[in-house]
Amino acid sequence: MNATLLESHITGYPRRQGKVRDVYDLGDRLVIVASDRISAFDWILPTGIPAKGRLLTAMTEFWLRFLKIPNHLISSRIEEMPAPFQAEADELHGRTMLVRKTKVVPIECVVRGYLAGSGWKEYRASGTVCGQSLPGGIRECEQLPEPIFTPATKAESGHDENISFERMAAEVGSDLAEDLRRRSIEAYRRAAEYARERGIILADTKFEWGRLPSGEVLLIDEVLTPDSSRYWPADSYVVGKNPPSFDKQFVRDWLETCGWDKNSPPPPLPAEVVTRTQEKYLEAFERLTGARAVTEESP
Ligand SMILES: Nc1ncnc2c1ncn2[C@@H]1O[C@H](COP(=O)(O)OP(=O)(O)O)[C@@H](O)[C@H]1O
Ligand SMILES: [Mg+2]
């Protein structure tokens, strides 16, 4: 069985819903449930992608193990969650993480090794990204001489806004800003190097960091998943052309041509688009981790 989980319903804890994850507050810890929701063009689609939440959870775990930097994960074993979560083990296993609750640093720590998306748009308009000047003549999706740190605000709704490093420093303090810039670039470099060996380009990614009451800084949230990163298959990469994204390509292509105006709730996805998208998430997972994914409902 391979049912789609659009939403979890655990009672007894305050729940906050993000675009993709349901976050339950246990006081000093959180339980994060990765649903199968998928978003595109800033809308959550009415159709989920079966097992997507499991694949993204497994990828986050994989990268946390790979990076070995202090992070929020306590356990992803359903047996170690509070009883109300265990009671829904069939639905929740493999997509649920028990983590230390932190005070989130309110900045998206984006690192770009290639120039695409909003970075490319700003560069084309002004020769800068987040206010930093870059050498002239860089083409769309071209690799940068060095990875750059391009912070953004965490907008409560709508689009995140790219900001300068100086503005980040003014908001969180320059010591923390410099520390997070260094840690984020280092984590990007190591992950990009590993992915490249497996035929995948990690064009850019977004990290989130949080602080414990003791002041200790932890890597939080999802880590290096296709939802927080831009992955391209290396074999179809050509400088000057925007490569197909690893995961949402079919969804975006279909939404562009189905007649939807992007200003009203989006239509359901056809089964074909769902299947092909699920295959892409599976492929990304298997190529990056070298493991076969377990996507069934029962352990
Ligand atoms: N360890 C943590 N402590 C506090 N908040 C966290 C932690 N890990 C993740 N979060 C928050 O949980 C939420 C995850 O849900 P998500 O679906 O990604 O939401 P969003 O739509 O805001 O991206 C994010 O707001 C993220 O900042
Ligand atoms: Mg998020």
Side-chain angles (χ1 to χ4, degrees):
M1 229 203 4
N2 207 344
T4 309
L5 183 75
L6 279 183
E7 192 179 12
S8 62
H9 302 274
I10 300 298
T11 50
Y13 306 98
R15 182 186 77 171
R16 202 161 58 77
Q17 280 193 307
K19 284 189 286 293
V20 171
R21 275 136 343 124
D22 296 342
V23 181
Y24 294 89
D25 195 333
L26 275 53
D28 59 343
R29 293 164 303 154
L30 303 172
V31 172
I32 302 182
V33 177
S35 75
D36 293 329
R37 297 194 287 272
I38 184 168
S39 66
F41 302 111
D42 287 330
W43 285 88
I44 297 168
L45 306 183
T47 318
I49 307 297
K52 171 177 178 276
R54 293 207 162 95
L55 291 167
L56 266 53
T57 301
M59 272 200 244
T60 291
E61 262 197 282
F62 168 82
W63 283 116
L64 287 176
R65 257 201 303 273
F66 174 91
L67 290 170
K68 294 194 183 65
I69 46 188
N71 65 71
H72 66 164
L73 181 62
I74 299 169
S75 173
S76 55
R77 285 168 41 82
I78 195 73
E79 297 82 358
E80 292 175 32
M81 309 284 155
F85 295 90
Q86 289 187 43
E88 303 296 332
D90 279 357
E91 265 193 347
L92 300 185
H93 83 89
R95 59 167 84 247
T96 306
M97 295 199 324
L98 181 65
V99 305
R100 284 187 281 176
K101 180 163 120 186
T102 65
K103 192 157 184 287
V104 181
V105 178
I107 302 285
E108 313 246 301
C109 291
V110 178
V111 184
R112 300 167 192 269
Y114 292 72
L115 202 50
S118 65
W120 166 247
K121 279 204 194 99
E122 182 183 330
Y123 175 76
R124 205 177 39 182
S126 62
T128 60
V129 180
C130 291
Q132 299 172 59
S133 333
L134 294 177
I138 303 174
R139 289 167 292 167
E140 183 173 17
C141 298
E142 189 164 353
Q143 185 169 21
L144 295 165
E146 290 290 326
I148 55 171
F149 182 67
T150 61
T153 55
K154 278 172 64 68
E156 278 300 317
S157 65
H159 264 321
D160 297 334
E161 182 199 349
N162 286 344
I163 58 171
S164 66
F165 181 74
E166 290 67 35
R167 195 170 133 203
M168 173 178 173
E171 267 173 48
V172 307
S174 48
D175 287 354
L176 182 62
E178 273 163 33
D179 184 40
L180 296 186
R181 173 171 64 183
R182 185 184 50 75
R183 290 182 197 232
S184 301
I185 290 178
E186 168 73 9
Y188 168 85
R189 275 187 199 283
R190 289 173 54 208
E193 183 188 1
Y194 171 88
R196 194 64 192 76
E197 286 161 11
R198 311 197 75 109
I200 294 175
I201 292 173
L202 174 60
D204 54 44
T205 194
K206 180 237 8 169
F207 297 107
E208 289 189 32
W209 303 87
R211 269 182 302 186
L212 292 175
S214 66
E216 192 190 347
V217 174
L218 300 179
L219 179 58
I220 63 166
D221 206 53
E222 60 185 333
V223 177
L224 291 157
T225 70
D227 278 6
S228 66
S229 317
R230 196 176 259 119
Y231 282 112
W232 297 326
D235 53 13
S236 53
Y237 169 71
V238 190
V239 179
K241 267 192 8 205
N242 202 358
S245 89
F246 221 112
D247 48 313
K248 285 188 189 161
Q249 174 203 351
F250 295 118
V251 172
R252 293 208 190 99
D253 289 354
W254 185 78
L255 287 172
E256 291 279 13
T257 53
C258 71
W260 172 51
D261 64 6
K262 298 190 189 143
N263 286 315
S264 49
L269 298 172
E272 156 92 359
V273 175
V274 172
T275 308
R276 291 175 76 188
T277 301
Q278 187 191 22
E279 282 165 9
K280 295 309 279 186
Y281 277 103
L282 254 171
E283 187 190 338
F285 173 81
E286 289 178 358
R287 276 171 74 167
L288 282 172
T289 67
R292 285 293 309 280
V294 180
T295 55
E296 283 75 36
E297 284 300 308
S298 313

